[in-house]
Amino acid sequence: IDCGHRSIECGRLIKKKVNISYSDYLQDSFLVDYVSYVGAAFNAQALIKCGITNKKLFIYYDDTEHSYRCKKYGGIVCFPQIKITHDDGKISSVKNGNTKDISWRDYYAIRNSIYFYTRNHFFTGVYMSVIIVLSAIKKYLTGSYKLKQIELVVKAIYSGYFAKLGLDSKYRPGSNI
């Protein structure tokens, strides 16, 4: 199980991930800054104090942002000996041998990660934005991406910076890019 602390990941467009050290995973437990809800358990009083998830963070990073807020009301502990198997139900284009695809899901993954990081770790958000844009331009120049895919990336970053959240009319679930 990857507990999330110091992890940076943004859809299929960014492959950089800064992980927790291996020595942390050798401990019985260790503190983290935020988590995915897969396998997470929360103290009810902490949840009452920090409130509900931000429903405008559609599909991605709602759990990261919420757990980061909840941390103010008690620590988040990772127990590495607990094993979780998570199948999110999506079919990865990478698994199908097609790494060129970009989907409506990527819009939300990019937008919500930029929103979270620019509000909580500003320079990480700026860094991620630059890497995502450069990666998308490289894919466009090599013929892997079409202009409408670059548009998705730029709109997602813009929307993340300026907190244009909620369900986007253009990038609705199941829509084709």
Side-chain angles (χ1 to χ4, degrees), residues 14 113-114 117-119 121-133 157 161:
I14 185 168
S113 65
I114 297 302
Y117 286 111
T118 55
R119 275 145 190 82
H121 309 285
F122 182 75
F123 292 110
T124 299
V126 171
Y127 170 77
M128 287 177 64
S129 299
V130 170
I131 296 299
I132 292 167
V133 167
I157 290 172
Y161 274 110

Side-chain angles (χ1 to χ4, degrees), residues 49-171:
K49 289 177 184 175
C50 79
I52 62 172
T53 58
N54 182 345
K55 63 183 176 184
K56 291 183 178 184
L57 291 176
F58 176 72
I59 202 168
Y60 294 114
Y61 278 84
D62 53 336
D63 50 0
T64 303
E65 187 275 337
H66 188 242
S67 66
Y68 193 75
R69 278 190 287 126
C70 286
K71 181 180 177 236
K72 296 174 190 173
Y73 304 101
I76 301 173
V77 182
C78 176
F79 297 96
Q81 69 275 13
I82 297 173
K83 304 297 181 206
I84 304 292
T85 301
H86 174 56
D87 180 4
D88 65 5
K90 69 181 177 180
I91 300 170
S92 169
S93 62
V94 175
K95 289 180 185 173
N96 294 327
N98 181 358
T99 59
K100 297 178 185 179
D101 288 348
I102 187 170
S103 78
W104 61 271
R105 289 177 177 266
D106 293 297
Y107 172 79
Y108 295 103
I110 294 167
R111 183 198 68 185
N112 295 352
S113 65
I114 297 302
Y115 172 80
F116 173 76
Y117 286 111
T118 55
R119 275 145 190 82
N120 298 293
H121 309 285
F122 182 75
F123 292 110
T124 299
V126 171
Y127 170 77
M128 287 177 64
S129 299
V130 170
I131 296 299
I132 292 167
V133 167
L134 291 176
S135 174
I137 290 170
K138 178 183 174 188
K139 289 179 181 190
Y140 175 74
L141 293 175
T142 61
S144 298
Y145 274 7
K146 298 174 184 156
L147 199 52
K148 61 185 176 178
Q149 293 167 318
I150 298 294
E151 178 186 333
L152 177 148
V153 170
V154 171
K155 183 176 181 183
I157 290 172
Y158 173 85
S159 297
Y161 274 110
F162 294 102
K164 299 195 179 291
L165 306 176
L167 194 58
D168 185 88
S169 61
K170 186 170 184 174
Y171 304 113

